[in-house]
Amino acid sequence: VEGFSLGGEAEQYTVAGGCGEDTNTLDDPQAVCARRAVVPIDGNSFAHTFPACSVTVLRIPAARGSF
């Protein structure tokens, strides 16, 4: 995006289980759940490997003064 600079670190929210038919059960209520992590960003680009069989949201902040 023109005029956009990345700012420091991104928040990552991932929902994942195994690649089969995992479900939450009474014995394992967290088999499939959302997990939060921090992704460091150095400069105006970054590389990231996403887990297989997952849905991920990255919240990437703009650097101060980039807009």
Side-chain angles (χ1 to χ4, degrees), residues 12 14-17 19 48-56:
Q12 171 183 305
T14 302
V15 177
C19 288
H48 186 70
T49 302
F50 295 92
C53 304
S54 69
V55 175
T56 300

Side-chain angles (χ1 to χ4, degrees), residues 3 5 19 23 31 42-43 56 59 63:
S5 296
C19 288
T23 59
D42 185 24
T56 300
R59 295 187 68 195

Side-chain angles (χ1 to χ4, degrees), residues 2-66:
E2 187 175 331
F4 182 82
S5 296
L6 303 176
E9 57 187 33
E11 289 180 275
Q12 171 183 305
Y13 298 91
T14 302
V15 177
C19 288
E21 295 182 20
D22 288 354
T23 59
N24 293 342
T25 64
L26 292 176
D27 291 332
D28 190 4
Q30 298 294 313
V32 180
C33 64
R35 301 195 194 289
R36 181 185 179 276
V38 174
V39 177
I41 298 173
D42 185 24
N44 279 334
S45 65
F46 69 99
H48 186 70
T49 302
F50 295 92
C53 304
S54 69
V55 175
T56 300
V57 173
L58 286 175
R59 295 187 68 195
I60 303 170
R64 289 183 177 206
S66 74

